[in-house]
Amino acid sequence: MVAEELKFLVIEDDDFQREIIVDILGRLGAMKVTEARTGTEALNYLNDEKPNSIDIIL
């Protein structure tokens, strides 16, 4: 799989750090990046979406 096809979930409570990670992923070609500020927010997202909707969690 190439980065364009992978679906990322970035979980980070610090806005600056999360923006840097998302920026780096974008520069590497990632097209599908979802962001969460907390673990609870991430779990809610994962529970609401289809199973296996995320390939990599950072």
Side-chain angles (χ1 to χ4, degrees):
M1 256 186 197
V2 293
E4 300 92 34
E5 297 173 1
L6 293 173
K7 293 172 239 104
F8 294 86
L9 175 58
V10 177
I11 308 166
E12 175 57 57
D13 63 346
D14 185 272
D15 292 338
F16 178 75
Q17 294 292 335
R18 194 175 56 258
E19 288 174 18
I20 295 296
I21 295 167
V22 170
D23 182 60
I24 291 170
L25 289 171
R27 290 173 189 241
L28 293 172
M31 302 295 286
K32 300 171 186 169
V33 179
T34 302
E35 301 176 43
R37 287 190 170 103
T38 65
T40 302
E41 189 177 317
L43 287 173
N44 288 338
Y45 174 81
L46 292 170
N47 286 330
D48 292 342
E49 294 298 313
K50 299 174 191 170
N52 303 320
S53 64
I54 297 293
D55 297 306
I56 298 176
I57 298 174
L58 300 171

